[in-house]
Amino acid sequence: MNLKTRFSLILAAALFAAGCSSTAEKSEPATKPAEPGLGCTSSAVQHLEGKIATPELLEQARQQAGASTARILTPSSMVTLEYNGQRLNLNVDDQRVITRVSCG
């Protein structure tokens, strides 16, 4: 196997491994959503935009939105592409100020 082929394989493996990791913070799933059957409702926590994201605020937002899980997404967070209607996302800037609230 020549050097170029080895390098390509190592690079592909590194990219694959990087895509499988995540730095997003996650809360533990709730035993039951705030409003069973309705799923995540991001409009219930839109008022949090502009606030500093903390683990405590994340849990409070998760409960208010009726989500089963929640996560804080920083500008450098790697995320998976699957949609989860029971998950609340708090997008933050580099200073952890909430810039967007969504479900999915």
Side-chain angles (χ1 to χ4, degrees), residues 39-102:
C40 179
T41 307
S42 62
S43 61
V45 291
Q46 288 293 322
H47 66 279
L48 297 177
E49 288 183 8
K51 296 191 184 290
I52 302 293
T54 63
E56 295 81 18
L57 185 66
L58 178 68
E59 178 58 21
Q60 182 181 38
R62 184 197 62 75
Q63 291 176 4
Q64 289 177 4
S68 61
T69 60
R71 60 187 178 177
I72 295 173
L73 300 173
T74 65
S76 61
S77 293
M78 289 190 195
V79 295
T80 57
L81 297 178
E82 86 276 356
Y83 179 81
N84 179 349
Q86 292 293 321
R87 179 175 52 212
L88 178 68
N89 301 304
L90 300 182
N91 293 76
V92 298
D93 62 15
D94 290 327
Q95 288 73 44
R96 298 188 62 88
V97 175
I98 300 170
T99 58
R100 181 172 179 250
V101 179
S102 64

Side-chain angles (χ1 to χ4, degrees), residues 32-39 66 86:
K32 59 182 178 179
E35 296 184 48
L38 296 181
Q86 292 293 321

